[in-house]
Amino acid sequence: MVVLPCFEIKDEDLLARIGRLKTKSGVLETPYFFPVVNPLKHKQLVTTTELQNMGFTGIITNAYLLFRHGLTHDDVHRVLSFQGVIMTDSGAYQLMQYGDIEIDNRSIVKIQCDIGSDIGVILDIPTKYEDPRDKVVYSVEETLRRACEAIDIVENCKSTLWVLPIQGGMHLDLLRTASQRATQIPGYTVYGLGSPTTLLENFMFEKIIEMIATVRGIVESSKPLHLFGAGHPLIIPFAVALGVDLMDSASYIIYARDGRYITRRGTYRLEDLDYFPCSCPICSKYTPKDLMEMSYEDRVKLLAMHNLYTILEELRNVKTAIREGRLFEYLVERAHSHPAAMRAFKTLIKYLNLVIRRAPYINPRAKAVYLFHYESLYNPRILIPRINIENNLDPISQNLLILIGCIKEKPFIESRCVESIVEKFCNTVFCDVYIAVPWLGTIPLEASYQYPFSQNEIVVESISNDIVEDLMYLVLDLVLKYVDKYRDNVKIKIVCVEEYSWIRDFCLRLRGVVEELNITKNIVFYRVSRDLHMHNATPPFSR
Amino acid sequence: MVVLPCFEIKDEDLLARIGRLKTKSGVLETPYFFPVVNPLKHKQLVTTTELQNMGFTGIITNAYLLFRHGLTHDDVHRVLSFQGVIMTDSGAYQLMQYGDIEIDNRSIVKIQCDIGSDIGVILDIPTKYEDPRDKVVYSVEETLRRACEAIDIVENCKSTLWVLPIQGGMHLDLLRTASQRATQIPGYTVYGLGSPTTLLENFMFEKIIEMIATVRGIVESSKPLHLFGAGHPLIIPFAVALGVDLMDSASYIIYARDGRYITRRGTYRLEDLDYFPCSCPICSKYTPKDLMEMSYEDRVKLLAMHNLYTILEELRNVKTAIREGRLFEYLVERAHSHPAAMRAFKTLIKYLNLVIRRAPYINPRAKAVYLFHYESLYNPRILIPRINIENNLDPISQNLLILIGCIKEKPFIESRCVESIVEKFCNTVFCDVYIAVPWLGTIPLEASYQYPFSQNEIVVESISNDIVEDLMYLVLDLVLKYVDKYRDNVKIKIVCVEEYSWIRDFCLRLRGVVEELNITKNIVFYRVSRDLHMHNATPPFSR
């Protein structure tokens, strides 16, 4: 992996990372969101000073608009009165909206260099999601051609970091090829994922997730990825989880002009709100009624500021989750906040292989894993150790002891419940001992100390049928491995600690499958009551 | 139902309500949280003026401490420099902490009246959750005795609203009897649920939920209910959903003194945070590092203010959810934020009968119901119409047509999919037509317009095995009703629209059960392809 001198990764969880992107005007901590700033000051209701005071260390403006209004004579930082990081877009969005603009690619790239842009973008050809395939092919080809066409300028303008937007839109095969070819072009530091704005506006999050995963599957981890037009907190955690580092949007002001109030759980119309479900400085000071009674300009400005505070809050939540290694839990929570977020989550789940391939280790600072929802079965912090156990499983002894239900005391190897059962069954013979735990799977006793087998918090009431079934199949896999290896010589003891209602169901199902497979002769079931009194018994156990 | 002149209910969802509690110093909008204020000004870091500016229109202080420090010579509003609503507690908490206090019940009640308290509390005997049963019995009896003992004072002090704390703690039978007896005592406006502070501190939310449900099951809806010591945003939505109207706590400052930062998703230690996952005025201005570098007093004050902003934000979120009739969805989301919240939710689910009995109608302003998680099967906005259909089900015709899979176009009766199938099967015979929809159940076609059959948003990807099984049993129930009534004369057609993968699974399971029950001869399965081409076929359908 090539480490870029200008992009340092400080922390990772899933494919998300907290990074430092170094520009000539300062360092941006990623994931970062650039608010779009109109270069015409009288049209920018929230001033650049106000943005800076809110905590924005970087903004994005439009080089084409600067050019059209004769504002390219001076350094862009002076023009916008902003001393932080300034990214400039090229006018591609205007191209998409209005069909044509009166400047060519090389000229707009040159201008961005001349005005001292910290991060610049070539004049790409955006893909509209409703575009027919041949038009998308043209976007891909022409954008790549333009990226090549500008190589000499970008390579001679090293003080600016250059973004190469990747086109292809919802045509994932085109997007994949475009990504592969883009990574071959020298001179660019950041890759961009072009124009999902219309998809985002229509909350078609599943498409965006597919697009991000496709590009991230090819662009190497060391390179930052920019998602153009992402300005709703509902998409941010999912985009970041798949490796998006930078985002920008004008949604905060577009929504505000339309009277829309952004929350982390969806968008409301101002007139439908009786309360502001937020504690930002705007919402702590005003009520919806106050805003309704203001002038349009004042109202839009305050709404825009609230919308921006909400985006900042979402980003800080995501970063906090990355730092504590609980981004997956955070995604599950966010998924339950809105149908569109759930669709994003369900789509993200399809790319878990990519996540595990790219990030096969667990953040050493990860806190205890929370196991209290079905979706946790997909948590890489569960999957990775389960895969490791599966891969390293080697039946050593012909005596297999599986304990089910000793989940309270941790580490298992120090639990009185485990100790007394093992003592009873293994004091004269050598045994392989496994503990079967919902979500966590079949854990070799000697792995008790490994993360997350002692670092987890299970809500027993959340052990649903699906979770029981998952565990049942894992236990069955384990049993079959021993039966395959030792045939008639294996002695398997399955000990169920009758402390929870799911255990009964578990044992009953397991017995059913074991009978179907005709392997009952090797297996003895035991039940152990709460006081650790043991019985040899066939499920279903009497009460 | 007796309507109290001082408590008006404006809006309801589940057992939660938005109300107006009228006191002599102003109206409190409920659900409301009273921050605990130390009557000694130099000990109160966040001043009453600051509390008022943050949006607190009421505070709670301690009448016993006022008395002990000789501060009962003047109106409590002047003593605390606070013109809003002041509730006073009686010193019961001090009694619990220190065992004995040097004042009796009648005197402290009298004092609260004299100092102009807006809401006062008798000197109850708190229940500690670890108390043995005989001690709890004493708390119950002595508290009730004291409530009676003070009747003449409270009845002669009508300018103060009086709270009767109900004891019993985790002994739900005692709590139930105590509630019944408490409601017989005249003079009191508000009921209190005593001393769950230690349970709350230990995040034993399931116990609190049981206690609240027990009391709410007896205390009539028109009476406000106060939960003593509830000061963590994780418990607020669940407590409010079961009908808690008022809360108070000193947690904001106790946590702050201990360097703990409260969030709506749990509590962090300040030193573990790199970011503030919040946008309140404190967190928008400072970083964790800034706070770490401050003096202890400054840090504690800012942390306390943040903690209070977080509680306010939670309350405004809950109220917004009540207003839009989506409190259940909100609870599901919050349940996924923390294991303790999930335990609270799972416990609340056990009391759905109480919820439906007390609130059998759907808020007419309720928005579309979100159906994208397993837990929505318990949403009263789904359960109530399902129960209504079940109760009013009357097989009229001997031709039963059940459509499965036409869930895109709404209302169903206007859907092309439904129309063309009904036309094919029912143009010569009279039919009873039902649409079977995950979560929603079996809907008579003529009920298409009823809430929520056209007012819902389903995420198809979230239709899990459990949801399919639920629907399968509902369809089976429907089928059996017709078979029972018409025996061999009934003709049942089950038409599966093969648009989604769950349909295949559904039909396969249904066929299995139908065969087991030996009722196949009345039933014909059809499958309909996307283009509405129909086939008579037995599941599993070929692809």
Side-chain angles (χ1 to χ4, degrees):
Chain A
M1 183 165 105
V2 186
V3 176
L4 297 181
C6 62
F7 186 58
E8 183 195 330
I9 293 172
K10 287 167 60 192
D11 221 322
E12 294 174 273
D13 195 11
L14 307 180
L15 299 189
R17 49 278 193 85
I18 294 176
R20 289 165 55 84
L21 183 68
K22 291 168 204 156
T23 75
K24 66 177 165 52
S25 302
V27 174
L28 278 185
E29 190 177 77
T30 66
Y32 187 75
F33 169 85
F34 297 93
V36 170
V37 165
N38 193 313
L40 305 176
K41 284 192 180 167
H42 64 280
K43 288 203 171 176
Q44 180 62 29
L45 280 180
V46 186
T47 69
T48 51
T49 310
E50 284 166 332
L51 289 170
Q52 200 139 32
N53 290 340
M54 291 173 77
F56 288 100
T57 52
I59 57 176
I60 186 169
T61 193
N62 192 297
Y64 167 68
L65 291 181
L66 284 165
F67 161 76
R68 222 182 58 190
H69 293 94
L71 295 167
T72 50
H73 56 282
D74 199 357
D75 185 284
V76 65
H77 297 81
R78 268 193 296 276
V79 173
L80 295 184
S81 314
F82 186 80
Q83 294 317 309
V85 177
I86 298 185
M87 177 169 176
T88 46
D89 199 354
S90 56
Y93 185 76
Q94 283 66 26
L95 188 67
M96 183 169 82
Q97 293 293 310
Y98 313 114
D100 201 11
I101 59 172
E102 64 270 27
I103 193 162
D104 64 41
N105 177 42
R106 284 181 62 88
S107 309
I108 196 76
V109 172
K110 191 78 179 47
I111 286 172
Q112 292 177 73
C113 182
D114 292 346
I115 61 175
S117 187
D118 298 301
I119 305 172
V121 187
I122 60 161
L123 187 64
D124 58 321
I125 310 288
T127 323
K128 278 193 195 171
Y129 84 91
E130 61 274 30
D131 277 350
R133 190 174 170 94
D134 57 343
K135 223 172 154 189
V136 179
V137 170
Y138 168 76
S139 308
V140 168
E141 293 298 333
E142 180 61 13
T143 300
L144 289 168
R145 193 194 65 73
R146 291 183 179 190
C148 293
E149 176 192 65
I151 290 178
D152 62 321
I153 315 178
V154 308
E155 292 210 319
N156 282 316
C157 182
K158 295 241 183 255
S159 58
T160 300
L161 304 178
W162 293 97
V163 181
L164 202 174
I166 299 174
Q167 300 301 336
M170 285 159 60
H171 300 266
L172 300 184
D173 59 326
L174 298 180
L175 195 61
R176 198 172 296 117
T177 328
S179 306
Q180 277 155 348
R181 287 168 59 193
T183 54
Q184 306 304 315
I185 302 173
Y188 296 89
T189 306
V190 179
Y191 294 96
L193 179 50
S195 12
T197 315
T198 37
L199 292 174
L200 284 160
E201 276 170 6
N202 293 298
F203 272 34
M204 293 168 73
F205 289 173
E206 58 277 28
K207 297 293 166 196
I208 315 234
I209 294 297
E210 288 174 354
M211 288 162 62
I212 297 170
T214 301
V215 174
R216 244 315 159 215
I218 287 160
V219 170
E220 61 177 298
S221 310
S222 62
K223 295 271 189 169
L225 180 62
H226 184 102
L227 180 63
F228 284 98
H232 201 294
L234 275 175
I235 190 68
I236 290 177
F238 304 99
V240 170
L242 283 176
V244 165
D245 304 292
L246 303 167
M247 286 156 281
D248 75 282
S249 174
S251 62
Y252 71 100
I253 185 72
I254 295 169
Y255 277 56
R257 288 195 194 282
D258 187 34
R260 282 184 287 168
Y261 177 95
I262 293 178
T263 83
R264 294 166 62 219
R265 318 179 51 241
T267 310
Y268 291 91
R269 298 207 60 82
L270 179 61
E271 63 266 28
D272 292 339
L273 284 173
D274 295 288
Y275 313 94
F276 283 139
C278 169
S279 66
C280 82
I282 308 300
C283 299
S284 292
K285 194 168 169 190
Y286 303 99
T287 65
K289 194 159 164 281
D290 294 338
L291 258 66
M292 290 299 287
E293 287 166 359
M294 283 178 188
S295 74
Y296 176 76
E297 292 272 292
D298 289 348
R299 177 164 66 240
V300 169
K301 177 169 178 163
L302 292 175
L303 268 180
M305 289 178 78
H306 155 78
N307 289 344
L308 285 169
Y309 274 121
T310 303
I311 291 171
L312 283 175
E313 182 178 345
E314 184 58 54
L315 275 176
R316 288 200 297 255
N317 269 279
V318 170
K319 288 199 278 189
T320 302
I322 296 172
R323 286 289 283 171
E324 56 177 344
R326 279 198 182 135
L327 184 57
F328 191 87
E329 281 95 325
Y330 185 68
L331 295 182
V332 173
E333 182 195 322
R334 299 324 298 146
H336 284 83
S337 70
H338 194 279
M342 181 56 90
R343 283 196 299 266
F345 179 80
K346 293 276 177 186
T347 312
L348 184 143
I349 288 297
K350 294 185 194 159
Y351 293 94
L352 276 184
N353 276 344
L354 171 68
V355 174
I356 292 175
R357 200 175 71 230
R358 281 289 182 94
Y361 306 107
I362 291 167
N363 182 337
R365 288 208 318 223
K367 291 195 179 179
V369 63
Y370 283 156
L371 300 172
F372 64 100
H373 27 55
Y374 172 70
E375 291 83 358
S376 288
L377 280 182
Y378 299 101
N379 189 335
R381 268 151 59 228
I382 295 300
L383 288 181
I384 294 170
R386 274 171 61 154
I387 294 167
N388 285 343
I389 287 177
E390 165 89 20
N391 289 345
N392 294 309
L393 195 133
D394 181 23
I396 299 173
S397 140
Q398 295 177 27
N399 294 292
L400 171 62
L401 176 64
I402 305 175
L403 273 56
I404 295 150
C406 288
I407 60 176
K408 258 191 205 154
E409 299 163 68
K410 290 172 287 192
F412 303 120
I413 204 164
E414 293 177 18
S415 125
R416 199 176 74 86
C417 167
V418 173
E419 193 188 3
S420 66
I421 295 170
V422 170
E423 205 175 81
K424 176 165 169 86
F425 289 100
C426 307
N427 63 350
T428 56
V429 291
F430 184 68
C431 285
D432 287 356
V433 183
Y434 285 81
I435 321 287
V437 183
W439 286 284
L440 296 170
T442 48
I443 307 161
L445 185 57
E446 61 275 16
S448 295
Y449 293 103
Q450 281 174 30
Y451 186 93
F453 305 133
S454 293
Q455 301 79 14
N456 61 76
E457 187 169 345
I458 288 179
V459 175
V460 174
E461 296 80 2
S462 295
I463 302 174
S464 64
N465 289 340
D466 288 318
I467 306 291
V468 170
E469 191 163 299
D470 171 76
L471 187 63
M472 201 268 290
Y473 281 112
L474 287 177
V475 169
L476 192 67
D477 276 353
L478 182 65
V479 164
L480 289 177
K481 283 238 168 70
Y482 277 77
V483 170
D484 275 358
K485 182 160 178 181
Y486 296 114
R487 301 284 159 184
D488 288 353
N489 297 321
V490 68
K491 288 187 183 120
I492 301 173
K493 297 186 173 69
I494 297 178
V495 183
C496 299
V497 184
E498 283 193 285
E499 203 162 350
Y500 306 105
S501 62
W502 62 269
I503 304 258
R504 198 182 147 86
D505 185 34
F506 172 90
C507 292
L508 196 57
R509 280 167 178 241
L510 183 62
R511 200 203 62 172
V513 183
V514 158
E515 280 178 358
E516 253 178 61
L517 292 174
N518 211 2
I519 51 170
T520 43
K521 62 181 177 303
N522 300 114
I523 302 174
V524 188
F525 280 90
Y526 293 85
R527 65 190 180 92
V528 175
S529 48
R530 251 168 239 239
D531 56 2
L532 299 180
H533 189 74
M534 254 158 274
H535 316 267
N536 176 338
T538 309
F541 307 135
S542 59
R543 284 277 150 175
Chain B
M1 185 166 105
V2 185
V3 177
L4 297 180
C6 62
F7 187 56
E8 181 194 333
I9 294 172
K10 285 168 60 191
D11 220 323
E12 294 174 275
D13 195 12
L14 307 180
L15 298 190
R17 51 275 193 86
I18 295 177
R20 288 164 57 84
L21 184 67
K22 290 168 205 156
T23 76
K24 69 178 163 50
S25 302
V27 175
L28 279 184
E29 190 178 76
T30 66
Y32 186 77
F33 169 85
F34 297 91
V36 170
V37 165
N38 193 311
L40 305 176
K41 284 192 181 166
H42 65 279
K43 288 202 171 178
Q44 179 63 29
L45 281 180
V46 186
T47 67
T48 50
T49 309
E50 284 164 332
L51 288 171
Q52 199 140 32
N53 290 339
M54 292 173 77
F56 289 100
T57 51
I59 58 177
I60 184 168
T61 194
N62 192 298
Y64 168 67
L65 290 181
L66 284 166
F67 160 76
R68 221 184 56 188
H69 293 93
L71 294 168
T72 48
H73 56 282
D74 200 356
D75 185 284
V76 65
H77 298 82
R78 268 192 296 277
V79 173
L80 296 183
S81 315
F82 186 80
Q83 293 319 308
V85 176
I86 298 184
M87 177 168 175
T88 46
D89 199 356
S90 57
Y93 184 77
Q94 282 67 27
L95 188 67
M96 183 169 81
Q97 292 295 308
Y98 313 114
D100 201 12
I101 59 173
E102 64 270 24
I103 193 162
D104 64 43
N105 176 44
R106 285 181 62 88
S107 310
I108 196 75
V109 172
K110 190 78 181 44
I111 285 172
Q112 293 176 73
C113 181
D114 292 344
I115 62 175
S117 187
D118 298 301
I119 305 173
V121 187
I122 61 161
L123 187 65
D124 57 321
I125 310 289
T127 322
K128 279 192 195 173
Y129 84 90
E130 61 274 29
D131 277 351
R133 191 175 169 94
D134 58 342
K135 225 172 151 187
V136 179
V137 170
Y138 169 75
S139 309
V140 168
E141 294 298 333
E142 180 61 12
T143 301
L144 289 168
R145 192 194 65 73
R146 291 182 180 192
C148 295
E149 175 191 67
I151 290 177
D152 62 320
I153 314 178
V154 309
E155 292 210 319
N156 283 316
C157 182
K158 295 239 182 258
S159 58
T160 300
L161 304 179
W162 293 97
V163 180
L164 201 174
I166 299 174
Q167 300 302 336
M170 284 160 60
H171 299 266
L172 300 184
D173 59 326
L174 298 181
L175 196 60
R176 198 171 298 118
T177 328
S179 306
Q180 278 155 348
R181 287 169 58 193
T183 54
Q184 307 303 317
I185 302 174
Y188 296 89
T189 307
V190 179
Y191 293 96
L193 179 51
S195 14
T197 315
T198 38
L199 293 174
L200 283 161
E201 275 170 7
N202 294 298
F203 271 34
M204 293 168 73
F205 290 174
E206 57 278 28
K207 297 292 166 199
I208 316 239
I209 294 296
E210 287 174 356
M211 287 162 63
I212 298 170
T214 301
V215 174
R216 245 312 159 219
I218 287 159
V219 171
E220 61 178 299
S221 309
S222 61
K223 294 271 190 169
L225 180 63
H226 184 101
L227 180 63
F228 284 97
H232 201 294
L234 275 176
I235 191 67
I236 290 177
F238 304 99
V240 170
L242 282 177
V244 165
D245 303 293
L246 303 168
M247 285 157 283
D248 75 283
S249 174
S251 62
Y252 72 100
I253 185 72
I254 296 169
Y255 277 56
R257 287 195 194 281
D258 187 35
R260 283 184 286 167
Y261 176 95
I262 293 178
T263 81
R264 293 166 62 218
R265 317 179 50 240
T267 309
Y268 292 92
R269 295 209 62 81
L270 179 62
E271 62 266 30
D272 292 338
L273 284 174
D274 295 287
Y275 313 93
F276 283 139
C278 169
S279 66
C280 82
I282 308 301
C283 299
S284 293
K285 194 166 169 191
Y286 302 99
T287 66
K289 194 161 165 280
D290 293 339
L291 258 66
M292 290 300 286
E293 288 164 358
M294 283 177 187
S295 73
Y296 176 75
E297 291 272 293
D298 288 348
R299 178 165 63 243
V300 169
K301 176 169 178 163
L302 292 175
L303 267 179
M305 289 179 79
H306 155 80
N307 289 344
L308 285 170
Y309 275 121
T310 303
I311 292 171
L312 283 175
E313 182 179 344
E314 184 59 53
L315 276 176
R316 287 200 298 256
N317 268 280
V318 170
K319 288 198 276 189
T320 302
I322 296 172
R323 286 288 284 170
E324 55 178 344
R326 279 199 182 131
L327 184 57
F328 191 87
E329 281 95 325
Y330 185 69
L331 295 182
V332 173
E333 181 195 323
R334 299 323 299 148
H336 284 83
S337 70
H338 193 280
M342 181 57 91
R343 283 197 296 269
F345 179 80
K346 293 276 178 186
T347 311
L348 184 144
I349 287 298
K350 295 185 195 159
Y351 293 93
L352 276 184
N353 276 344
L354 171 66
V355 174
I356 292 176
R357 198 175 73 230
R358 281 290 180 94
Y361 306 107
I362 293 168
N363 181 336
R365 288 209 318 224
K367 289 197 180 180
V369 63
Y370 283 156
L371 300 173
F372 64 100
H373 26 55
Y374 171 70
E375 291 85 356
S376 288
L377 279 182
Y378 300 101
N379 188 335
R381 268 153 56 230
I382 295 299
L383 288 182
I384 293 170
R386 273 170 62 153
I387 294 168
N388 285 343
I389 286 176
E390 165 88 20
N391 289 345
N392 294 308
L393 195 133
D394 181 23
I396 299 173
S397 140
Q398 295 178 27
N399 294 291
L400 171 63
L401 176 63
I402 306 175
L403 273 56
I404 297 149
C406 289
I407 60 175
K408 260 190 203 155
E409 299 162 69
K410 289 172 286 193
F412 304 120
I413 204 164
E414 292 177 18
S415 125
R416 200 176 72 84
C417 168
V418 173
E419 192 188 2
S420 66
I421 295 170
V422 171
E423 204 175 82
K424 177 166 169 82
F425 288 100
C426 307
N427 63 348
T428 56
V429 289
F430 184 67
C431 286
D432 287 357
V433 183
Y434 284 81
I435 322 288
V437 183
W439 286 284
L440 296 171
T442 46
I443 307 161
L445 185 57
E446 61 274 17
S448 295
Y449 294 102
Q450 281 175 30
Y451 186 94
F453 304 133
S454 293
Q455 301 80 10
N456 62 76
E457 188 169 345
I458 288 179
V459 176
V460 173
E461 295 81 1
S462 296
I463 302 174
S464 65
N465 288 340
D466 288 319
I467 306 290
V468 170
E469 192 163 299
D470 170 75
L471 187 63
M472 202 268 292
Y473 281 112
L474 287 177
V475 168
L476 192 67
D477 276 354
L478 181 65
V479 163
L480 289 177
K481 283 237 168 75
Y482 277 78
V483 171
D484 275 357
K485 180 158 178 183
Y486 297 114
R487 301 283 159 184
D488 287 352
N489 297 321
V490 67
K491 288 187 184 125
I492 301 173
K493 297 187 173 68
I494 297 179
V495 184
C496 300
V497 184
E498 282 193 282
E499 203 162 351
Y500 306 104
S501 61
W502 63 269
I503 303 259
R504 198 182 147 86
D505 186 34
F506 172 90
C507 292
L508 196 57
R509 282 168 177 239
L510 183 61
R511 200 203 61 172
V513 183
V514 158
E515 279 178 358
E516 252 178 63
L517 292 175
N518 211 1
I519 51 170
T520 42
K521 63 180 178 302
N522 300 114
I523 301 173
V524 187
F525 280 91
Y526 294 85
R527 67 190 178 90
V528 175
S529 47
R530 252 168 237 240
D531 57 0
L532 298 181
H533 189 75
M534 256 159 270
H535 314 267
N536 177 338
T538 309
F541 307 135
S542 59
R543 284 274 151 178

